[in-house]
Amino acid sequence: GAEQLLKDHPDITALFALNDKMALGALRKLNELGIRCPDDVAVVGFDDIPAASFTIPALTTVHQPLYELGKMACDRLVELIHGKTERVQEVVPIHLVVRESCGAKKQQAVEAKL
């Protein structure tokens, strides 16, 4: 996907991937094409999987609390099993984990409320 995007839009300066695995694939493709990250194209993912901090450059990503999301889903499933069918909307805190792939000079976290 990254390769096609770069062919269609050779002037892009940043990629935001749907998840970290896709962002890792984009980093690999950029490297194969000789495109420097973050100098030529910045890359940001979404999830904050453990591998994100071990890539070169380390992947900037949006951290989401996967354990808490799983627990909320299980709790909701139990409620549905017991007949509670009202719609529930819950908000989980996420934050941006700034690493090298976005061009940042140092790591920092930026809180986001969605």
Side-chain angles (χ1 to χ4, degrees):
E3 185 172 18
Q4 187 62 50
L5 181 64
L6 291 164
K7 283 181 183 177
D8 293 345
H9 306 280
D11 58 338
I12 66 167
T13 59
L15 294 171
F16 182 84
L18 182 63
N19 58 55
D20 285 352
K21 288 182 180 182
M22 293 174 79
L24 297 179
L27 284 175
R28 181 180 178 99
K29 183 51 71 176
L30 291 172
N31 185 57
E32 289 174 6
L33 296 172
I35 299 171
R36 298 168 302 154
C37 177
D39 299 329
D40 301 325
V41 176
V43 177
V44 177
F46 193 96
D47 288 328
D48 197 19
I49 62 174
S53 63
F54 295 110
T55 61
I56 298 174
L59 181 64
T60 296
T61 185
V62 177
H63 174 85
Q64 62 175 338
L66 296 177
Y67 176 83
E68 289 81 2
L69 287 171
K71 183 179 180 322
M72 288 168 45
C74 287
D75 291 346
R76 181 66 181 130
L77 180 59
V78 169
E79 289 173 357
L80 288 170
I81 290 169
H82 292 297
K84 186 175 178 184
T85 59
E86 66 189 51
R87 289 188 175 255
V88 177
Q89 181 178 0
E90 296 190 53
V91 177
V92 295
I94 61 170
H95 63 274
L96 179 65
V97 180
V98 179
R99 296 190 181 112
E100 299 160 350
S101 71
C102 71
K105 299 296 181 196
K106 65 179 187 174
Q107 184 175 354
Q108 65 187 39
V110 179
E111 293 295 325
K113 300 214 185 227
L114 297 178

